[in-house]
Each structure stands twice: as C-alpha cells, then as structure tokens.
Coordinates of all heavy atoms in Angstrom, one line a residue:
M50 N 81.3 3.2 22.5 CA 81.3 4.7 22.4 C 82.2 5.0 21.2 O 83.4 4.6 21.2 CB 81.9 5.3 23.7 CG 82.2 6.7 23.5 SD 82.9 7.6 25.0 CE 82.4 6.6 26.3
P51 N 81.8 5.8 20.3 CA 82.6 6.2 19.1 C 83.7 7.1 19.5 O 83.6 7.9 20.5 CB 81.7 6.8 18.2 CG 80.3 6.4 18.6 CD 80.4 6.2 20.1
D52 N 84.8 6.9 18.8 CA 86.0 7.9 19.0 C 85.7 9.1 18.1 O 84.7 9.2 17.5 CB 87.3 7.3 18.8 CG 87.5 6.8 17.4 OD1 86.7 7.1 16.5 OD2 88.5 6.0 17.2
D53 N 86.7 10.0 18.0 CA 86.5 11.2 17.2 C 86.4 11.0 15.7 O 86.1 11.9 15.0 CB 87.6 12.3 17.5 CG 88.9 11.8 17.7 OD1 89.1 10.7 18.1 OD2 89.9 12.6 17.4
T54 N 86.7 9.7 15.3 CA 86.5 9.5 13.9 C 85.2 8.8 13.6 O 84.8 8.5 12.5 CB 87.6 8.4 13.4 OG1 87.4 7.2 14.1 CG2 89.0 8.9 13.6
G55 N 84.4 8.6 14.6 CA 83.1 8.1 14.5 C 83.1 6.6 14.6 O 82.0 5.9 14.3
T56 N 84.2 5.9 14.9 CA 84.3 4.5 14.9 C 84.3 4.1 16.4 O 84.5 4.8 17.3 CB 85.6 3.9 14.2 OG1 86.7 4.3 15.0 CG2 85.7 4.4 12.9
T57 N 84.2 2.7 16.6 CA 84.2 2.2 18.0 C 85.5 1.4 18.1 O 85.5 0.4 19.0 CB 83.0 1.3 18.2 OG1 82.9 0.3 17.2 CG2 81.7 2.1 18.2
A58 N 86.5 1.7 17.3 CA 87.7 0.9 17.4 C 88.4 0.7 18.8 O 88.7 -0.4 19.1 CB 88.7 1.4 16.4
P59 N 88.5 1.8 19.5 CA 89.1 1.6 20.8 C 88.3 0.7 21.8 O 88.9 -0.1 22.4 CB 89.2 3.1 21.4 CG 89.2 3.9 20.2 CD 88.3 3.2 19.2
L60 N 87.0 0.8 21.7 CA 86.2 -0.1 22.5 C 86.2 -1.5 22.1 O 86.4 -2.4 22.8 CB 84.7 0.4 22.4 CG 83.7 -0.4 23.3 CD1 84.1 -0.4 24.8 CD2 82.3 0.2 23.1
Q61 N 86.2 -1.7 20.7 CA 86.4 -3.1 20.2 C 87.7 -3.6 20.6 O 87.8 -4.8 20.9 CB 86.2 -3.1 18.7 CG 84.7 -2.8 18.3 CD 84.6 -2.5 16.8 OE1 85.6 -2.2 16.1 NE2 83.4 -2.7 16.3
S62 N 88.7 -2.8 20.5 CA 90.1 -3.3 20.9 C 90.2 -3.7 22.3 O 90.8 -4.8 22.7 CB 91.2 -2.2 20.6 OG 92.4 -2.6 20.9
M63 N 89.5 -2.9 23.2 CA 89.5 -3.3 24.6 C 88.8 -4.6 24.8 O 89.2 -5.5 25.6 CB 88.8 -2.2 25.5 CG 88.8 -2.5 26.9 SD 90.4 -2.5 27.8 CE 90.7 -0.8 27.8
Q64 N 87.6 -4.7 24.2 CA 86.9 -6.0 24.3 C 87.7 -7.2 23.8 O 87.6 -8.3 24.4 CB 85.5 -5.9 23.6 CG 84.6 -7.0 23.9 CD 84.3 -7.3 25.4 OE1 84.0 -6.3 26.1 NE2 84.5 -8.4 25.8
T65 N 88.3 -7.0 22.7 CA 89.2 -8.1 22.1 C 90.2 -8.5 23.1 O 90.5 -9.7 23.3 CB 89.8 -7.7 20.8 OG1 88.8 -7.4 19.8 CG2 90.6 -8.8 20.2
R66 N 90.9 -7.6 23.7 CA 91.9 -7.8 24.7 C 91.4 -8.6 25.9 O 92.0 -9.6 26.3 CB 92.5 -6.4 25.2 CG 93.6 -6.6 26.2 CD 94.1 -5.2 26.6 NE 94.9 -4.7 25.6 CZ 94.8 -3.5 25.0 NH1 93.8 -2.7 25.3 NH2 95.6 -3.1 24.0
I67 N 90.2 -8.2 26.3 CA 89.6 -8.9 27.4 C 89.2 -10.3 27.1 O 89.4 -11.2 27.8 CB 88.4 -8.1 28.0 CG1 88.9 -6.8 28.7 CG2 87.5 -8.9 28.9 CD1 87.8 -5.7 28.9
D68 N 88.7 -10.4 25.9 CA 88.3 -11.8 25.4 C 89.4 -12.7 25.4 O 89.3 -13.9 25.8 CB 87.6 -11.7 24.0 CG 86.3 -11.1 24.0 OD1 85.6 -10.9 25.1 OD2 85.8 -10.6 22.9
Y69 N 90.6 -12.3 24.8 CA 91.8 -13.1 24.8 C 92.3 -13.5 26.3 O 92.6 -14.6 26.5 CB 92.9 -12.4 24.1 CG 92.8 -12.5 22.6 CD1 92.8 -11.4 21.7 CD2 92.7 -13.8 21.9 CE1 92.8 -11.5 20.4 CE2 92.7 -13.9 20.5 CZ 92.6 -12.7 19.8 OH 92.6 -12.8 18.4
L70 N 92.3 -12.5 27.1 CA 92.7 -12.8 28.5 C 91.8 -13.8 29.2 O 92.2 -14.6 29.9 CB 92.8 -11.5 29.3 CG 93.9 -10.6 28.8 CD1 93.9 -9.2 29.5 CD2 95.3 -11.2 29.0
E71 N 90.4 -13.6 28.9 CA 89.5 -14.5 29.5 C 89.7 -16.0 29.0 O 89.6 -16.9 29.8 CB 88.1 -14.1 29.3 CG 87.7 -12.9 30.1 CD 86.3 -12.3 29.9 OE1 85.8 -12.6 28.7 OE2 85.7 -11.7 30.8
R72 N 90.0 -16.1 27.7 CA 90.2 -17.4 27.2 C 91.4 -18.1 27.8 O 91.5 -19.3 28.1 CB 90.3 -17.4 25.6 CG 88.9 -17.3 25.0 CD 89.1 -17.4 23.5 NE 88.6 -16.1 23.0 CZ 88.9 -15.6 21.8 NH1 89.7 -16.3 21.0 NH2 88.4 -14.4 21.5
L73 N 92.5 -17.3 27.9 CA 93.7 -17.8 28.5 C 93.5 -18.2 30.0 O 93.9 -19.2 30.4 CB 94.8 -16.7 28.4 CG 96.2 -17.2 29.0 CD1 96.7 -18.5 28.4 CD2 97.2 -16.0 28.9
G74 N 92.7 -17.3 30.7 CA 92.4 -17.6 32.1 C 91.6 -18.9 32.2 O 92.0 -19.7 33.1
D75 N 90.7 -19.2 31.4 CA 89.9 -20.4 31.4 C 90.9 -21.6 31.2 O 90.8 -22.6 31.9 CB 88.9 -20.5 30.4 CG 87.7 -19.5 30.6 OD1 87.6 -19.1 31.8 OD2 86.9 -19.2 29.7
E76 N 91.8 -21.5 30.3 CA 92.8 -22.6 30.0 C 93.7 -22.8 31.2 O 94.0 -24.0 31.6 CB 93.6 -22.2 28.8 CG 94.5 -23.3 28.3 CD 93.8 -24.4 27.5 OE1 92.7 -24.3 27.0 OE2 94.5 -25.5 27.5
L77 N 94.2 -21.7 31.9 CA 95.0 -21.9 33.0 C 94.3 -22.4 34.2 O 94.9 -23.2 35.0 CB 95.6 -20.5 33.3 CG 96.7 -20.0 32.2 CD1 97.0 -18.5 32.5 CD2 97.9 -20.9 32.2
V78 N 93.1 -22.0 34.4 CA 92.3 -22.6 35.5 C 92.2 -24.1 35.4 O 92.3 -24.9 36.3 CB 90.9 -21.9 35.7 CG1 90.0 -22.8 36.6 CG2 91.0 -20.5 36.2
G79 N 92.0 -24.5 34.1 CA 92.0 -26.0 33.9 C 93.2 -26.7 34.1 O 93.3 -27.9 34.3
R80 N 94.3 -25.9 34.3 CA 95.7 -26.5 34.6 C 96.0 -26.3 36.1 O 97.2 -26.6 36.4 CB 96.7 -25.8 33.6 CG 96.5 -26.2 32.2 CD 97.3 -25.3 31.3 NE 97.0 -25.5 30.0 CZ 97.8 -26.0 29.0 NH1 99.1 -26.2 29.3 NH2 97.4 -26.1 27.8
G81 N 95.1 -25.9 36.8 CA 95.3 -25.8 38.2 C 95.8 -24.5 38.7 O 96.1 -24.3 39.9
L82 N 95.9 -23.5 37.9 CA 96.5 -22.2 38.4 C 95.3 -21.3 38.7 O 94.1 -21.5 38.3 CB 97.2 -21.5 37.2 CG 98.5 -22.3 36.8 CD1 99.2 -21.7 35.6 CD2 99.5 -22.2 38.0
R83 N 95.5 -20.3 39.5 CA 94.5 -19.3 39.9 C 94.6 -18.0 39.0 O 95.8 -17.6 38.9 CB 94.6 -19.0 41.4 CG 94.1 -20.1 42.3 CD 93.9 -19.6 43.6 NE 93.6 -20.8 44.4 CZ 94.0 -21.0 45.7 NH1 94.8 -20.0 46.3 NH2 93.7 -22.1 46.4
V84 N 93.6 -17.5 38.6 CA 93.6 -16.3 37.8 C 92.7 -15.2 38.2 O 91.6 -15.6 38.9 CB 93.4 -16.6 36.3 CG1 94.3 -17.7 35.8 CG2 91.9 -17.0 36.0
R85 N 93.0 -14.0 37.9 CA 92.1 -12.9 38.2 C 92.3 -11.8 37.1 O 93.4 -11.4 36.8 CB 92.4 -12.3 39.6 CG 91.5 -11.1 39.9 CD 91.8 -10.5 41.3 NE 93.1 -9.9 41.3 CZ 94.2 -10.2 42.1 NH1 94.1 -11.1 42.9 NH2 95.3 -9.5 42.0
L86 N 91.2 -11.4 36.4 CA 91.3 -10.4 35.4 C 91.3 -9.1 36.1 O 90.3 -8.8 36.9 CB 90.2 -10.6 34.4 CG 90.2 -9.6 33.2 CD1 91.4 -9.7 32.4 CD2 88.9 -9.7 32.5
T87 N 92.3 -8.3 35.9 CA 92.3 -6.9 36.6 C 92.2 -5.9 35.5 O 92.8 -6.0 34.4 CB 93.6 -6.8 37.4 OG1 94.7 -6.8 36.6 CG2 93.7 -7.8 38.6
M88 N 91.5 -4.8 35.8 CA 91.3 -3.7 34.9 C 91.4 -2.4 35.7 O 90.5 -1.7 35.9 CB 89.9 -3.8 34.3 CG 89.8 -5.0 33.4 SD 88.3 -5.1 32.4 CE 87.2 -5.8 33.6
P89 N 92.7 -2.0 36.0 CA 93.0 -0.8 36.7 C 92.6 0.4 35.8 O 92.8 0.3 34.6 CB 94.5 -0.9 37.0 CG 95.0 -2.1 36.5 CD 93.9 -2.8 35.7
L90 N 92.2 1.5 36.4 CA 91.9 2.7 35.7 C 93.1 3.2 35.0 O 94.2 3.3 35.6 CB 91.3 3.7 36.6 CG 89.8 3.6 36.9 CD1 89.5 4.7 37.9 CD2 89.0 3.8 35.7
G91 N 93.0 3.6 33.8 CA 94.1 4.2 33.0 C 95.2 3.3 32.5 O 96.1 3.8 31.9
T92 N 95.0 2.0 32.7 CA 96.0 1.1 32.1 C 95.3 -0.1 31.5 O 94.1 -0.3 31.7 CB 97.0 0.5 33.2 OG1 96.2 -0.1 34.2 CG2 97.8 1.6 33.9
A93 N 96.0 -0.9 30.7 CA 95.4 -2.0 30.0 C 95.1 -3.1 31.0 O 95.7 -3.3 32.0 CB 96.4 -2.6 29.0
P94 N 94.0 -3.8 30.7 CA 93.7 -5.0 31.6 C 94.8 -6.0 31.5 O 95.5 -6.1 30.5 CB 92.3 -5.5 31.0 CG 92.1 -4.9 29.7 CD 93.1 -3.7 29.6
C95 N 94.9 -6.8 32.5 CA 95.9 -7.9 32.6 C 95.3 -9.1 33.3 O 94.3 -9.0 34.0 CB 97.2 -7.4 33.1 SG 97.2 -7.1 34.9
L96 N 95.9 -10.2 33.1 CA 95.5 -11.5 33.8 C 96.5 -11.8 34.8 O 97.7 -12.0 34.5 CB 95.4 -12.6 32.7 CG 94.8 -13.9 33.3 CD1 93.3 -13.7 33.6 CD2 95.0 -15.0 32.2
H97 N 96.2 -11.7 36.1 CA 97.0 -12.0 37.2 C 97.0 -13.5 37.4 O 95.8 -14.0 37.6 CB 96.7 -11.2 38.4 CG 97.6 -11.5 39.6 ND1 98.8 -10.9 39.7 CD2 97.4 -12.3 40.7 CE1 99.3 -11.4 40.8 NE2 98.5 -12.2 41.4
V98 N 98.1 -14.2 37.2 CA 98.1 -15.6 37.3 C 99.0 -16.0 38.5 O 100.0 -15.5 38.7 CB 98.6 -16.3 36.1 CG1 98.6 -17.8 36.1 CG2 97.9 -15.7 34.9
M99 N 98.5 -17.0 39.4 CA 99.2 -17.5 40.5 C 99.2 -19.0 40.6 O 98.2 -19.6 40.3 CB 98.6 -16.9 41.8 CG 99.3 -17.3 43.1 SD 98.5 -16.8 44.6 CE 97.2 -18.0 44.7
N100 N 100.4 -19.5 41.0 CA 100.4 -21.0 41.3 C 99.9 -21.1 42.7 O 100.6 -20.6 43.7 CB 101.9 -21.4 41.1 CG 102.1 -22.9 41.5 OD1 101.3 -23.5 42.2 ND2 103.1 -23.5 40.9
P101 N 98.8 -21.8 43.0 CA 98.3 -21.9 44.3 C 99.2 -22.8 45.3 O 99.0 -22.7 46.5 CB 96.9 -22.6 44.2 CG 97.1 -23.3 42.9 CD 98.0 -22.5 42.0
E102 N 100.1 -23.6 44.7 CA 101.1 -24.4 45.5 C 102.2 -23.6 45.9 O 103.0 -24.0 46.8 CB 101.4 -25.7 44.8 CG 100.2 -26.5 44.5 CD 100.6 -27.8 43.7 OE1 101.8 -28.0 43.4 OE2 99.7 -28.5 43.3
A103 N 102.5 -22.5 45.3 CA 103.6 -21.6 45.6 C 103.2 -20.2 45.3 O 103.5 -19.6 44.2 CB 104.8 -22.0 44.8
S104 N 102.6 -19.5 46.3 CA 101.9 -18.2 46.0 C 102.9 -17.1 45.6 O 102.5 -16.1 45.0 CB 101.1 -17.8 47.2 OG 101.9 -17.6 48.3
A105 N 104.1 -17.3 45.8 CA 105.2 -16.3 45.3 C 105.4 -16.4 43.8 O 105.9 -15.5 43.2 CB 106.6 -16.6 46.0
L106 N 104.9 -17.5 43.2 CA 105.0 -17.6 41.7 C 103.8 -17.0 41.1 O 102.7 -17.7 41.0 CB 105.2 -19.1 41.4 CG 106.4 -19.8 41.9 CD1 106.4 -21.3 41.6 CD2 107.7 -19.1 41.3
T107 N 103.9 -15.8 40.7 CA 102.8 -15.0 40.1 C 103.3 -14.3 38.9 O 104.5 -14.0 38.8 CB 102.2 -14.0 41.1 OG1 103.1 -13.0 41.4 CG2 101.6 -14.7 42.3
E108 N 102.4 -13.9 38.0 CA 102.7 -13.1 36.9 C 101.5 -12.4 36.4 O 100.4 -12.9 36.5 CB 103.3 -14.0 35.8 CG 103.7 -13.3 34.5 CD 104.7 -12.2 34.8 OE1 105.6 -12.3 35.6 OE2 104.6 -11.2 34.1
N109 N 101.7 -11.2 35.7 CA 100.7 -10.5 35.1 C 100.9 -10.6 33.6 O 102.0 -10.4 33.0 CB 100.7 -9.0 35.4 CG 100.3 -8.8 36.9 OD1 99.3 -9.4 37.3 ND2 101.0 -8.0 37.6
I110 N 99.9 -11.1 32.9 CA 99.9 -11.4 31.5 C 99.1 -10.3 30.7 O 98.0 -10.0 31.2 CB 99.3 -12.8 31.1 CG1 100.0 -13.9 31.9 CG2 99.4 -13.0 29.6 CD1 101.4 -14.1 31.7
L111 N 99.6 -9.8 29.6 CA 98.9 -8.8 28.8 C 98.5 -9.4 27.5 O 99.2 -10.3 27.0 CB 99.8 -7.6 28.7 CG 100.3 -6.9 29.9 CD1 101.5 -6.0 29.6 CD2 99.2 -6.2 30.6
A112 N 97.6 -8.8 26.8 CA 97.2 -9.1 25.5 C 97.3 -7.8 24.7 O 96.6 -6.8 25.1 CB 95.8 -9.7 25.4
E113 N 98.1 -7.8 23.7 CA 98.3 -6.6 22.9 C 98.3 -6.8 21.4 O 98.8 -7.9 21.0 CB 99.7 -5.9 23.3 CG 99.8 -5.4 24.8 CD 98.8 -4.3 25.1 OE1 98.5 -3.5 24.2 OE2 98.5 -4.2 26.3
R114 N 97.9 -5.9 20.7 CA 97.9 -6.0 19.3 C 99.1 -5.4 18.7 O 99.4 -4.2 19.0 CB 96.6 -5.5 18.6 CG 96.6 -5.6 17.1 CD 95.3 -5.1 16.5 NE 95.0 -3.7 17.0 CZ 93.8 -3.1 16.9 NH1 92.9 -3.7 16.3 NH2 93.7 -1.9 17.3
G115 N 99.8 -6.1 17.8 CA 100.9 -5.5 17.0 C 100.6 -5.5 15.6 O 99.5 -5.9 15.1
V116 N 101.6 -5.2 14.8 CA 101.4 -5.1 13.3 C 101.1 -6.6 12.8 O 100.6 -6.7 11.7 CB 102.6 -4.5 12.6 CG1 102.7 -3.0 12.9 CG2 103.9 -5.2 12.8
D117 N 101.6 -7.6 13.5 CA 101.5 -9.0 13.0 C 100.4 -9.7 13.8 O 100.4 -10.9 13.9 CB 102.8 -9.7 13.1 CG 103.5 -9.6 14.5 OD1 103.0 -8.8 15.3 OD2 104.4 -10.3 14.7
G118 N 99.4 -9.0 14.4 CA 98.3 -9.7 15.1 C 98.4 -9.5 16.7 O 99.2 -8.7 17.2
W119 N 97.5 -10.2 17.3 CA 97.4 -10.1 18.8 C 98.4 -11.2 19.4 O 98.5 -12.3 18.9 CB 96.0 -10.4 19.2 CG 95.0 -9.3 19.0 CD1 94.3 -9.0 18.0 CD2 94.8 -8.3 20.0 NE1 93.5 -7.9 18.2 CE2 93.8 -7.4 19.4 CE3 95.2 -8.0 21.3 CZ2 93.4 -6.3 20.0 CZ3 94.7 -6.9 21.9 CH2 93.8 -6.0 21.3
W120 N 99.0 -10.8 20.5 CA 99.9 -11.5 21.2 C 99.7 -11.5 22.7 O 99.3 -10.4 23.2 CB 101.4 -11.1 20.9 CG 101.8 -11.3 19.5 CD1 101.5 -10.6 18.4 CD2 102.6 -12.5 19.1 NE1 102.1 -11.2 17.4 CE2 102.8 -12.3 17.7 CE3 103.2 -13.6 19.8 CZ2 103.4 -13.3 16.9 CZ3 103.9 -14.4 19.0 CH2 104.0 -14.3 17.6
F121 N 100.1 -12.6 23.4 CA 100.2 -12.5 24.9 C 101.6 -12.1 25.2 O 102.5 -12.6 24.6 CB 99.9 -13.9 25.5 CG 98.4 -14.3 25.4 CD1 98.1 -15.4 24.6 CD2 97.4 -13.6 25.9 CE1 96.7 -15.8 24.5 CE2 96.1 -14.0 25.9 CZ 95.7 -15.1 25.1
W122 N 101.7 -11.3 26.2 CA 103.0 -10.8 26.6 C 103.2 -11.0 28.2 O 102.3 -10.9 29.0 CB 103.1 -9.3 26.4 CG 103.1 -8.9 25.0 CD1 102.0 -8.8 24.1 CD2 104.2 -8.6 24.2 NE1 102.4 -8.4 22.8 CE2 103.8 -8.2 22.9 CE3 105.6 -8.4 24.5 CZ2 104.7 -7.8 21.9 CZ3 106.5 -8.0 23.5 CH2 106.0 -7.7 22.2
W123 N 104.5 -11.2 28.6 CA 104.9 -11.2 29.9 C 104.9 -9.8 30.4 O 105.1 -8.9 29.5 CB 106.2 -11.8 30.1 CG 106.4 -13.3 29.7 CD1 107.0 -13.8 28.7 CD2 105.8 -14.4 30.4 NE1 106.9 -15.2 28.7 CE2 106.2 -15.6 29.7 CE3 105.0 -14.6 31.6 CZ2 105.8 -16.8 30.1 CZ3 104.7 -15.8 32.0 CH2 105.0 -17.0 31.2
S124 N 104.9 -9.6 31.7 CA 105.0 -8.2 32.2 C 106.4 -7.5 32.0 O 106.4 -6.3 32.0 CB 104.7 -8.2 33.7 OG 105.8 -9.0 34.4
W125 N 107.3 -8.3 31.6 CA 108.7 -7.8 31.4 C 108.9 -7.6 29.8 O 110.0 -7.4 29.3 CB 109.8 -8.7 31.9 CG 109.9 -10.1 31.4 CD1 110.4 -10.5 30.2 CD2 109.3 -11.2 32.0 NE1 110.2 -11.9 30.0 CE2 109.6 -12.4 31.2 CE3 108.6 -11.5 33.2 CZ2 109.1 -13.7 31.5 CZ3 108.2 -12.7 33.5 CH2 108.5 -13.8 32.6
A126 N 107.7 -7.5 29.1 CA 107.7 -7.1 27.7 C 108.3 -8.1 26.7 O 109.0 -7.7 25.8 CB 108.3 -5.7 27.4
E127 N 108.1 -9.4 27.0 CA 108.6 -10.5 26.1 C 107.3 -11.2 25.7 O 106.4 -11.5 26.5 CB 109.5 -11.4 26.8 CG 110.0 -12.6 26.0 CD 110.9 -13.5 26.8 OE1 111.7 -13.0 27.6 OE2 110.9 -14.7 26.6
R128 N 107.3 -11.5 24.4 CA 106.0 -12.2 23.9 C 106.0 -13.7 24.4 O 107.1 -14.4 24.6 CB 106.2 -12.4 22.3 CG 105.8 -11.2 21.6 CD 105.9 -11.4 20.1 NE 105.4 -10.2 19.4 CZ 105.3 -10.1 18.1 NH1 105.6 -11.1 17.4 NH2 104.9 -9.0 17.6
I129 N 104.8 -14.1 24.7 CA 104.6 -15.5 25.1 C 104.2 -16.4 23.9 O 104.8 -17.3 23.6 CB 103.4 -15.6 26.2 CG1 103.8 -14.8 27.4 CG2 103.1 -17.0 26.6 CD1 102.7 -14.6 28.4
S130 N 103.1 -16.0 23.2 CA 102.7 -16.6 22.0 C 101.6 -15.8 21.4 O 101.1 -14.9 22.0 CB 102.1 -18.1 22.3 OG 100.8 -18.0 22.8
A131 N 101.2 -16.2 20.1 CA 100.1 -15.5 19.5 C 98.9 -15.8 20.3 O 98.7 -16.9 20.9 CB 100.0 -16.1 18.1
A132 N 98.0 -14.8 20.4 CA 96.9 -14.9 21.2 C 95.9 -15.9 20.7 O 95.0 -16.4 21.4 CB 96.2 -13.5 21.4
D133 N 95.9 -16.2 19.4 CA 95.1 -17.2 18.8 C 95.5 -18.7 19.2 O 94.7 -19.6 19.0 CB 95.0 -17.1 17.3 CG 94.3 -15.9 16.8 OD1 93.3 -15.5 17.5 OD2 94.6 -15.3 15.7
D134 N 96.7 -18.8 19.8 CA 97.1 -20.1 20.2 C 97.1 -20.2 21.7 O 98.2 -20.2 22.4 CB 98.5 -20.4 19.6 CG 99.0 -21.8 19.8 OD1 98.2 -22.6 20.5 OD2 100.0 -22.2 19.2
V135 N 95.9 -20.2 22.3 CA 95.7 -20.2 23.7 C 96.5 -21.4 24.4 O 97.1 -21.3 25.4 CB 94.3 -20.1 24.1 CG1 94.0 -20.3 25.6 CG2 93.7 -18.8 23.7
P136 N 96.3 -22.6 23.9 CA 97.0 -23.8 24.5 C 98.5 -23.6 24.6 O 99.1 -23.9 25.6 CB 96.7 -24.9 23.6 CG 95.3 -24.6 23.1 CD 95.5 -23.1 22.8
A137 N 99.2 -23.0 23.6 CA 100.6 -22.8 23.6 C 101.0 -21.7 24.7 O 102.0 -21.9 25.4 CB 101.1 -22.3 22.3
A138 N 100.2 -20.7 24.7 CA 100.4 -19.7 25.8 C 100.2 -20.2 27.2 O 101.0 -20.0 28.1 CB 99.4 -18.5 25.6
A139 N 99.2 -21.1 27.4 CA 99.0 -21.7 28.7 C 100.1 -22.6 29.0 O 100.5 -22.7 30.2 CB 97.7 -22.5 28.7
D140 N 100.7 -23.4 28.0 CA 101.8 -24.2 28.3 C 103.0 -23.4 28.8 O 103.6 -23.8 29.9 CB 102.2 -24.9 27.0 CG 101.3 -26.0 26.6 OD1 100.5 -26.5 27.4 OD2 101.4 -26.5 25.4
R141 N 103.3 -22.3 28.2 CA 104.4 -21.5 28.6 C 104.2 -20.9 30.0 O 105.1 -20.9 30.8 CB 104.7 -20.4 27.6 CG 105.3 -21.0 26.3 CD 106.1 -20.1 25.5 NE 107.2 -19.5 26.2 CZ 107.7 -18.3 25.8 NH1 107.2 -17.6 24.8 NH2 108.8 -17.8 26.5
V142 N 103.0 -20.4 30.3 CA 102.8 -19.8 31.5 C 102.8 -20.8 32.6 O 103.5 -20.6 33.7 CB 101.4 -19.0 31.5 CG1 101.0 -18.5 32.9 CG2 101.4 -17.9 30.5
A143 N 102.2 -21.9 32.4 CA 102.2 -23.1 33.4 C 103.7 -23.5 33.7 O 104.1 -23.7 34.8 CB 101.4 -24.2 33.0
Q144 N 104.5 -23.6 32.6 CA 105.9 -23.9 32.8 C 106.7 -23.0 33.6 O 107.4 -23.4 34.5 CB 106.5 -24.2 31.5 CG 107.9 -24.7 31.5 CD 108.6 -24.9 30.2 OE1 108.0 -24.5 29.2 NE2 109.7 -25.6 30.1
V145 N 106.5 -21.7 33.3 CA 107.2 -20.6 34.1 C 106.7 -20.6 35.6 O 107.6 -20.4 36.4 CB 107.0 -19.3 33.4 CG1 107.5 -18.1 34.3 CG2 107.8 -19.3 32.1
L146 N 105.5 -20.8 35.8 CA 105.0 -20.7 37.1 C 105.0 -22.1 37.9 O 104.4 -22.2 38.9 CB 103.6 -20.1 37.1 CG 103.5 -18.7 36.6 CD1 102.0 -18.2 36.7 CD2 104.4 -17.8 37.4
A147 N 105.6 -23.1 37.3 CA 105.7 -24.4 38.0 C 106.5 -24.3 39.2 O 107.5 -23.7 39.2 CB 106.2 -25.4 37.0
A148 N 106.1 -25.0 40.3 CA 106.8 -25.0 41.6 C 108.0 -25.9 41.5 O 108.9 -25.7 42.2 CB 105.8 -25.4 42.7
S149 N 108.0 -26.9 40.6 CA 109.1 -27.8 40.4 C 109.4 -27.9 38.9 O 108.5 -27.6 38.1 CB 108.8 -29.1 41.0 OG 107.7 -29.7 40.4
P150 N 110.6 -28.2 38.5 CA 110.9 -28.4 37.1 C 110.0 -29.3 36.4 O 109.6 -30.4 36.9 CB 112.3 -28.8 37.1 CG 112.9 -28.6 38.5 CD 111.7 -28.6 39.4
V151 N 109.6 -28.9 35.2 CA 108.7 -29.7 34.3 C 109.6 -30.7 33.6 O 110.6 -30.3 33.0 CB 107.9 -28.8 33.3 CG1 107.1 -29.7 32.4 CG2 107.1 -27.9 34.0
T152 N 109.3 -32.0 33.7 CA 110.1 -33.0 33.0 C 109.5 -33.5 31.8 O 108.3 -33.3 31.5 CB 110.4 -34.2 34.0 OG1 109.1 -34.7 34.4 CG2 111.2 -33.8 35.1

C-alpha cells in the first residue's frame, strides 16, 4: 500500500524486517531453540526465542534499520549483530540463552 508520498517504503520496510527475523529464526531452530514470529498490532514484529531445556530463558529479538544498515537488537535496546550476518546473531542469541555456560 503506498504511503502519502506514493511509495511503498513502509510496507517494504516491514517485509524486510520480517524476512530478517525469519532467517534468524531458521538459524536458531537449527541450533535447537524454539522460535515464534510475533506481530502485535501497533508494534514492530519480533522473534520470540526460547531455550526448550530451560523455558525461563527467553528473549524477544527485533530487526531495525539504522543509518548504518539493518541490525538485530535485544529487547533491552542493545545491538546483537548486523542483520546480514545471521550466523553471528544466532551465535550470540544461542550463547545468551544457553542453559549452561558455553565452553
């Protein structure tokens, strides 16, 4: 749907955000984590990630565009990694949600 400038930028931005989150979700599922893409009305979509071995270990991951490109973000507003580096983002998320220390 075009915005008031006649472009589809907001829609494209939303689709890009979803695409990045889906790619990260696929990578995390491959590492044994559970994921769910959530799209609440009025807020940005996020990827809910859970460690199935310790269900208290959960996090909501966002994908946002900044002046320097797309990034994955923790819910506490800290960058995880560039969204183009899905394996690096998955490494950090898996490490933070690990039930035991990673050696």
